[in-house]
């Protein structure tokens, strides 16, 4: 049962000003993949993880079986990974609440100020609780074996990665919306809806599977035993958004007859203009990643100097080395910190996966990319044929100015791509055909239609 409650109050008793509010609770069913993937566990399945290192690289082989190949006999499997469902997993829920003040300014014209909030509790998460080197850091295992070779261990050496499926996610959302809405403004046949939204969302994990580009190659939290290290703006946090949608119907010769009415009456022009600030993104540092490129517990970038600007808006960037690619800013070079308590061969600065992290380490989603705007428009003409039959011609244009916005190339947000002592570039690409795998395709196109309404 999900409770809901709401109210509406006529503030002055004249039907022109009202206060409306409500609150409720909703639940999310545990989707199958979170728990169903336990079928991949032994004894029916075995998912193995092959870990290479500087001193023990994985050999290249011509066999499809790779390192598991053998000419005869049996080949022992490396430790297998597990999909582990938390025995105390909770049902995810959202607590939502809203309050609105609405006032009728004139006939068919309303101005409102609205607040909307939501709290996500027990949100589903997936994190690796048995990462490589966790045994060294938390269990006190030696970093090298008797021969001086790297010996990275796990908390439970019987298995490799243990992807724990739990419900530790937590989120907040707050928004203020100002809306102006009018129909047939002062009998001009102009209708308009305009919305301005100021909002902020925070969480530790924006999706259960960490599949957004903001997660880079990070599954779960930077440290699964301390999720608060990832508290920051949500992946789709948009602070400012403006949408203006006018509709204008020509009133000329509404009561007339003949050719002039046919030519001038029945036209309608509509548009949607939207503009918003950019979305946040992080910067990672995988140079001391003991996970051998598996993408778990990767720490975030630590600058060598204070960062004065965290928002990047410029469109006059230098060539970024790719199609429609631009370097729009630079950050200070990165500190190659590591953990001095865990210095081993191949990791001269120490293992940085588990911390401790420098106090100047950048926060999750600490930076924000350029804003985005777009205009769509439509023109239609209604042609009466009979008393109850109309022929409607409609032309629609999308991205009518053929404007390509800038989007941060979040697949490059790792200082390991840059090098030591080098300023860290912020690279963006313009939206266009095929941009970012089609995710940000922005191209002007139109369509026409002819319909009979009866």
């Amino acid at each position: 049962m999900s409770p809901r409650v709401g109210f509406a109050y006529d503030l002055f008793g004249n039907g022109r000003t009202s206060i409306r509010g409500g609150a409720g609770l909703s639940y999310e069913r545990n989707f199958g993949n979170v728990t169903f993937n336990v079928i991949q566990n032994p004894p029916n399945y075995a998912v193995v993880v092959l870990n290479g290192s500087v001193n023990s690289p994985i050999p290249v082989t011509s066999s499809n079986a790779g390192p598991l190949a053998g000419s005869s006999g049996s080949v022992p499997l490396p430790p297998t990974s597990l999909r582990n469902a938390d025995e105390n997993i909770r049902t995810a829920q959202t607590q939502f609440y809203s309050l609105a003040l609405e006032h009728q300014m004139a006939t068919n014209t309303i101005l409102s100020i609205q607040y909307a909030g939501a709290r996500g509790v027990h949100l589903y998460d997936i994190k690796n609780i048995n990462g490589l080197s966790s045994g060294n850091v938390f269990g006190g295992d030696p970093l090298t074996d008797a021969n001086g070779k790297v010996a990275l261990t796990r908390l439970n050496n019987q298995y490799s990665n243990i992807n724990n499926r739990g419900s530790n996610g937590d989120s907040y959302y707050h928004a203020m919306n100002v809306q102006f809405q009018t129909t047939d403004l002062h009998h001009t046949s102009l209708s308009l809806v305009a919305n301005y939204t100021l909002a902020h969302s925070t969480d530790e994990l924006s999706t259960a599977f960490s599949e957004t580009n903001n997660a880079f190659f990070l599954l779960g939290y930077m440290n699964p035993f301390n999720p608060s290290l990832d508290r920051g703006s949500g992946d789709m946090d948009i602070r400012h958004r403006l949408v203006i949608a006018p509709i204008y119907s020509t009133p000329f010769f509404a009561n007339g007859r003949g050719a002039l009415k046919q030519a001038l009456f029945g036209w309608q022009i509509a548009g949607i203009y939207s503009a918003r600030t950019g979305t946040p993104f992080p910067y990672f540092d995988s140079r001391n990643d003991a996970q051998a490129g598996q993408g778990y517990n990767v720490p975030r970038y630590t600058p060598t100097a204070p960062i004065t600007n965290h928002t990047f808006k410029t469109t006059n960037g230098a060539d970024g080395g790719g199609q429609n690619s631009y370097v729009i800013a630079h950050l200070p070079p990165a500190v190659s910190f590591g953990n001095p308590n865990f210095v081993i061969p191949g990791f001269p600065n120490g293992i940085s996966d588990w911390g401790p992290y420098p106090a100047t380490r950048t926060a999750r989603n600490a930076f924000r990319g350029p804003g985005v705007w777009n205009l769509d428009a439509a023109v239609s003409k209604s042609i009466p044929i009979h008393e109850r039959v109309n022929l409607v011609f409609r032309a629609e244009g999308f991205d009518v100015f053929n404007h390509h916005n800038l989007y941060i190339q979040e697949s490059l947000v790792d200082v390991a791509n840059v090098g030591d002592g080098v300023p860290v570039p912020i690279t963006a690409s313009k939206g266009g055909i095929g941009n970012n795998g089609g995710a940000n395709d922005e191209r002007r196109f139109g369509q026409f239609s002819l319909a009979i309404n009866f």
Side-chain angles (χ1 to χ4, degrees), residues 28 31 43 46 52-54 85 87 92 102 109 134 150 152 156 164 198 203 226 260 323 350 374 389-390 408:
E28 180 182 358
F31 54 97
S53 67
V54 175
E87 62 272 19
E102 299 178 345
T109 302
S134 61
V150 176
L152 300 181
N156 186 338
N164 175 265
L198 171 65
D203 53 35
N226 189 3
L260 283 177
Q323 184 177 11
N374 181 67
V389 180
N390 291 328
I408 298 297

Side-chain angles (χ1 to χ4, degrees), residues 62-130:
S62 60
S63 170
N64 289 335
L68 303 181
S71 58
S72 62
S74 60
V75 176
L77 290 176
T80 61
S81 68
L82 291 182
R83 272 67 173 166
N84 162 244
D86 190 336
E87 62 272 19
N88 296 315
I89 193 169
R90 306 284 295 274
T91 300
Q93 63 174 258
T94 299
Q95 305 163 4
F96 54 91
Y97 25 85
S98 62
L99 185 66
L101 175 64
E102 299 178 345
H103 176 66
Q104 181 179 341
M105 303 175 63
T107 303
N108 299 329
T109 302
I110 296 176
L111 177 67
S112 64
I113 300 178
Q114 308 155 1
Y115 164 79
R119 167 85 190 282
V121 183
H122 309 310
L123 304 179
Y124 300 123
D125 59 10
I126 300 178
K127 64 274 187 191
N128 181 17
I129 60 174
N130 199 43

Side-chain angles (χ1 to χ4, degrees), residues 160-206:
S160 59
N161 300 321
I162 299 179
N163 290 350
N164 175 265
R165 284 101 198 284
S167 53
N168 294 327
D170 188 75
S171 69
Y172 289 88
Y173 175 79
H174 300 284
M176 180 196 71
N177 186 70
V178 180
Q179 182 183 81
F180 175 81
Q181 182 175 352
T182 184
T183 303
D184 191 19
L185 179 64
H186 296 304
H187 305 291
T188 60
S189 298
L190 174 65
S191 298
L192 176 71
V193 175
N195 276 285
Y196 166 72
T197 304
L198 171 65
H200 189 206
S201 66
T202 57
D203 53 35
E204 292 99 5
L205 190 68
S206 292

Side-chain angles (χ1 to χ4, degrees), residues 229 299-303 335-339 352 355-362:
L229 291 173
R300 285 184 289 273
Y301 150 73
T302 300
V335 173
S336 186
F337 59 95
N339 184 336
S352 59
Y357 307 109
T360 54
R361 170 187 57 85
T362 55

